[in-house]
Amino acid sequence: DVKVTQSSRYLVKRTGEKVFLECVQDMDHENMFWYRQDPGLGLRLIYFSYDVKMKEKGDIPEGYSVSREKKERFSLILESASTNQTSMYLCASSLDQGGYTEAFFGQGTRLTVV
Amino acid sequence: AQRVTQPEKLLSVFKGAPVELKCNYSYSGSPELFWYVQYSRQRLQLLLRHISRESIKGFTADLNKGETSFHLKKPFAQEEDSAMYYCALMNYGGSQGNLIFGKGTKLSVKP
């Protein structure tokens, strides 16, 4: 059973804290992604990575950074958490198979910044 | 610019009625389109790909390049179809492909 696992289901952090969201996949996928999911806004891509130590900005990278030191692990970092970063964060991984690509998602981390 | 539009936030139908979830896209190249579904308290998962021309759980979707649409259809809705549905487009604007999602449509099937 393929798995994308996010380290926390729920997190509550204070404004200004540095926050780490961790994601691990066991499918040997090259590509990993971080999205945030907000009602009425759908999924918006924050960052993605197509190889170890490689990263690319998505549509909303401001206030975030990422780290990919190992193929199976992709971390999202909120350098200084703010209340507008309260959201559901989804990690995903995939192989690059063009029209046959299937992205596998984690269960999500609901982050609340107070 | 690459974009996916789902015009309906909420679609409510009765069990046994036909359902159509609309999706329109904007893409300069040859599009690769998908439907993803998220059932209550479950993770987001792939429902179907346009390239496979498949029917999954009774759902089909046809790519219409003339109308730039990829609507999801099912002739007879079931209560278990109630979920959040996202249309997605593979974007090759960067060095690797990534999925662009629409804002989603919540389907509610009433008994």
Side-chain angles (χ1 to χ4, degrees):
Chain A
D1 192 20
V2 296
K3 277 284 168 52
V4 177
T5 304
Q6 294 181 229
S7 55
S8 303
R9 190 76 178 91
Y10 299 95
L11 273 179
V12 180
K13 296 293 181 181
R14 295 193 180 276
T15 300
E17 276 193 78
K18 191 169 186 176
V19 181
F20 293 86
L21 303 184
E22 307 285 347
C23 176
V24 177
Q25 52 98 359
D26 64 0
M27 295 165 282
D28 202 35
H29 286 169
E30 295 96 353
N31 301 327
M32 295 189 75
F33 309 85
W34 276 105
Y35 291 88
R36 62 177 282 176
Q37 183 182 32
D38 298 289
L41 296 178
L43 276 77
R44 292 178 292 166
L45 182 63
I46 305 171
Y47 268 98
F48 66 102
S49 168
Y50 51 91
D51 201 354
V52 174
K53 297 190 185 296
M54 305 302 289
K55 62 185 179 184
E56 285 204 24
K57 293 180 180 180
D59 298 319
I60 52 165
E62 297 79 17
Y64 304 93
S65 62
V66 290
S67 172
R68 192 160 181 208
E69 296 296 319
K70 293 185 178 182
K71 189 176 185 180
E72 67 271 18
R73 187 179 297 270
F74 192 36
S75 303
L76 180 69
I77 304 156
L78 286 67
E79 298 291 342
S80 177
S82 63
T83 55
N84 63 12
Q85 293 178 309
T86 291
S87 185
M88 174 68 86
Y89 290 87
L90 298 182
C91 175
S93 73
S94 73
L95 293 171
D96 190 10
Q97 297 177 309
Y100 291 96
T101 298
E102 178 174 359
F104 293 88
F105 284 83
Q107 77 278 25
T109 296
R110 184 166 294 281
L111 173 67
T112 302
V113 183
V114 298
Chain B
Q2 298 85 343
R3 189 170 58 248
V4 176
T5 303
Q6 294 180 251
E8 304 135 330
K9 284 186 177 180
L10 174 65
L11 186 62
S12 185
V13 301
F14 286 101
K15 176 182 173 181
V19 62
E20 181 178 73
L21 288 85
K22 291 184 167 51
C23 172
N24 289 91
Y25 67 90
S26 173
Y27 190 66
S28 55
S30 185
E32 291 163 358
L33 289 150
F34 308 82
W35 277 98
Y36 278 77
V37 61
Q38 189 169 29
Y39 301 102
S40 178
R41 288 184 289 278
Q42 294 188 28
R43 59 186 70 195
L44 192 62
Q45 59 187 288
L46 177 67
L47 179 63
L48 55 78
R49 315 167 173 91
H50 96 267
I51 200 169
S52 301
R53 296 182 173 271
E54 55 206 341
S55 174
I56 304 293
K57 299 183 179 183
F59 284 98
T60 59
D62 292 320
L63 176 60
N64 186 323
K65 291 187 178 181
E67 296 183 358
T68 59
S69 68
F70 187 56
H71 303 328
L72 184 68
K73 299 177 184 179
K74 185 169 182 176
F76 307 104
Q78 303 299 315
E79 289 180 67
E80 55 266 30
D81 296 328
S82 295
M84 195 73 183
Y85 291 80
Y86 293 95
C87 184
L89 168 72
M90 184 64 74
N91 173 39
Y92 290 101
S95 54
Q96 288 289 325
N98 62 85
L99 287 170
I100 297 173
F101 286 86
K103 294 183 178 181
T105 298
K106 184 174 183 179
L107 175 64
S108 175
V109 181
K110 298 178 178 179

